[in-house]
Amino acid sequence: MNTASIRSMNRTLLLATAPFLGLLAWLLASNVELTLSEAAYPPHSAPSPDLSAGSVQVLDGLNQAEALAQGTGQSIRKQVELYNKTNANMNEIAAIASKQAARPYQIYDKRITSKLGKPSATMNSDKLTAQLFYLNTQNFRAYALKVKLKKDDAMKLVLGKDVEGGSETTLEAVKRYNAAIGVNGGGFADGGGKRYPLSTTIVDGEYVGGFQPTYKDLFFVGISESNKLIGGKFTTKSQLDAKNPKFGASFVPILLQNGRAAEIPAKWQTSPKRAPRTVIANYKDDQLLFLVVDGYNEKGSSGATLAELQILLKRFGAINGYNLDGGGSSSLVWNGRVINNPSDGKLRKLPTNFLFFT
C-alpha cells in the first residue's frame, strides 16, 4: 500500500469519529449531571409468609404422630397380651403332654406295685423313690424293696470301712455314710483275719483287686453309669467294661434272665436247700427290686429255696434276678432301722454293702 492510500484512509476514519469526539468534549466542558428518577428503581416487595398456616400443619403432624404412637402402643400391648396368652397355652399343653408321657410309666408302676401289695413305707426325693413291702408267703417271711433311681449319686456300693479286707455291718455302713437305706452286697472269703469281697468287685468305677474272669457259677451284678442293672458272666475285662459298670459285686447263681428262670446248678439247689436270702432284680423300666428273706439258721431248714425266689421274681414282674450273699449276711436297713431278722441273731460284718441316698 502507497503513502497516498494510507493518508486517504486516515481522513476517512477521522471524519467518521468526529461527531462522537465532539459530543464527549461538550459533556466534559459543561459538567452536565445525569440522574435517574425513582421510577428507574421500582421497590421490591415479597409476600409475608403465613405463619399460622405452617403452625397448623406442624400441629397436624404432631397429632398424627401422637395418634400413630398410641396405635403402635396399643398394637404392642395386644402383641404382648397375645404372647402371654400363647405362652400360657403352650405351658398348659406342655404340662398335659408331660402328664400323658408319664402315664405309661404310672400305669406300669401301678401294676407292678399292686403285685407286691401295699407299701408299708415310702421315701421320695429328687434322688430316688423307694417303697418297702412286707411279703406274706407260705413258707417264709420276706421283705421287698422297690427303688427308682433318679440321680447318679442315689446308690453306691461301699467296702467295709472303705478298705479292701475291711468289714462292717450294713447298719454301720448306713450310719457312717448317712444313708437312708442299706442292703448287704456280694459274697466274701476270709483270710488272715480279714474279709475280702468274692471275685470281681467294682467300687466307684474302680476294680477292687483287679478283674477276675467268671468261673464255675459265679456272676457279676451291679449298676452302670446310666443307672441300669447289669449282670451276668464275663470272661474278659473288656466284656464287662463295655457295660460301663459304676459299681457291683459277685456271687452265685443267676436266677432270672430276660424274664425266664435260669437253670439252678444242682449244688445250689441243696446246699443249703432253704436259707435266708437276698436277691437283686430289675424291671423293664429299670426300677430295682430287692427281696430279703428271713430264716432261723443256715442249716437248710428255714428260709426260701432258690426256686421259690424265681417264682416270686416272675410273679412280681421282674426281668432279671441275681442271688446275693444270704444266710447270716442277709440285711435290710430302712431309715436307720433293721427291718429283717438276721439268722445270726445280729447283723454280720460284711465286706460290701449297697447304700441308697435321698
Side-chain angles (χ1 to χ4, degrees):
M1 184 179 290
N2 55 32
T3 304
S5 297
I6 293 172
R7 287 177 180 176
S8 175
M9 185 178 294
N10 287 339
R11 282 194 299 266
T12 301
L13 290 174
L14 181 60
L15 290 173
T17 58
F20 297 100
L21 292 175
L23 180 59
L24 180 60
W26 178 79
L27 289 173
L28 290 175
S30 61
N31 194 23
V32 178
E33 293 183 1
L34 295 176
T35 59
L36 298 175
S37 67
E38 292 183 1
Y41 301 94
H44 177 73
S45 60
S48 299
D50 189 353
L51 297 179
S52 61
S55 298
V56 170
Q57 292 178 354
V58 171
L59 290 175
D60 287 343
L62 291 175
N63 290 334
Q64 291 177 5
E66 182 180 2
L68 179 61
Q70 290 178 350
T72 302
Q74 292 176 355
S75 176
I76 292 174
R77 282 194 295 272
K78 289 182 179 179
Q79 291 296 327
V80 171
E81 291 173 359
L82 179 61
Y83 170 79
N84 290 334
K85 184 177 181 180
T86 303
N87 195 39
N89 291 338
M90 291 302 295
N91 288 336
E92 184 178 355
I93 292 172
I96 294 173
S98 179
K99 289 181 180 179
Q100 292 297 327
R103 284 195 66 189
Y105 162 76
Q106 293 170 349
I107 294 172
Y108 178 75
D109 183 66
K110 185 177 181 179
R111 185 167 73 246
I112 61 176
T113 300
S114 65
K115 294 179 180 180
L116 293 168
K118 184 178 180 179
S120 62
T122 299
M123 292 184 187
N124 191 25
S125 71
D126 62 335
K127 290 187 178 182
L128 60 74
T129 296
Q131 294 173 300
L132 177 66
F133 302 83
Y134 288 85
L135 306 178
N136 293 317
T137 62
Q138 183 177 355
N139 298 319
F140 52 85
R141 182 178 178 85
Y143 318 87
L145 172 66
K146 184 166 72 70
V147 183
K148 177 179 177 60
L149 302 176
K150 302 176 185 178
K151 295 288 183 67
D152 292 340
D153 58 349
M155 178 184 178
K156 69 186 306 180
L157 180 74
V158 299
L159 294 174
K161 299 178 182 178
D162 291 331
V163 295
E164 184 179 3
S167 62
E168 61 187 341
T169 68
T170 305
L171 182 59
E172 288 172 338
V174 165
K175 290 182 177 179
R176 189 165 60 86
Y177 273 90
N178 194 29
I181 305 169
V183 181
N184 66 283
F188 62 85
D190 291 332
K194 296 184 177 182
R195 185 155 284 179
Y196 296 94
L198 185 66
S199 192
T200 299
T201 303
I202 298 176
V203 176
D204 294 329
E206 300 292 333
Y207 287 84
V208 178
F211 171 81
Q212 297 184 32
T214 295
Y215 62 95
K216 296 184 178 179
D217 302 314
L218 281 170
F219 63 78
F220 171 89
V221 63
I223 302 296
S224 71
E225 292 290 345
S226 57
N227 272 354
K228 298 181 183 297
L229 186 73
I230 53 175
K233 298 180 178 181
F234 301 91
T235 57
T236 65
K237 183 174 179 294
S238 60
Q239 282 181 317
L240 182 51
D241 287 342
K243 300 290 185 180
N244 296 315
K246 184 163 50 177
F247 56 80
S250 297
F251 201 56
V252 293
I254 296 173
L255 299 177
L256 203 67
Q257 284 190 312
N258 299 320
R260 296 183 178 182
E263 183 178 354
I264 300 174
K267 176 182 178 180
W268 304 111
Q269 293 180 23
T270 58
S271 182
K273 181 178 181 180
R274 293 188 174 276
R277 309 280 189 184
T278 301
V279 172
I280 183 173
N282 70 326
Y283 291 100
K284 66 180 182 181
D285 66 348
D286 296 320
Q287 288 193 81
L288 300 177
L289 175 66
F290 289 84
L291 300 181
V292 178
V293 177
D294 279 342
Y296 300 116
N297 54 51
E298 298 181 1
K299 297 180 179 179
S301 59
S302 66
T305 67
L306 294 177
E308 287 173 333
L309 290 178
Q310 287 178 318
I311 293 172
L312 284 183
L313 289 175
K314 294 185 68 175
R315 181 182 300 169
F316 295 150
I319 304 301
N320 302 287
Y322 304 87
N323 184 52
L324 296 174
D325 195 12
S329 297
S330 289
S331 309
L332 174 58
V333 176
W334 173 281
N335 199 23
R337 184 169 66 93
V338 180
I339 300 300
N340 69 313
N341 296 292
S343 61
D344 290 350
K346 61 180 181 180
L347 291 176
R348 178 181 291 176
K349 291 185 179 293
L350 306 171
T352 57
N353 285 290
F354 291 108
L355 301 181
F356 301 85
F357 303 86
T358 56

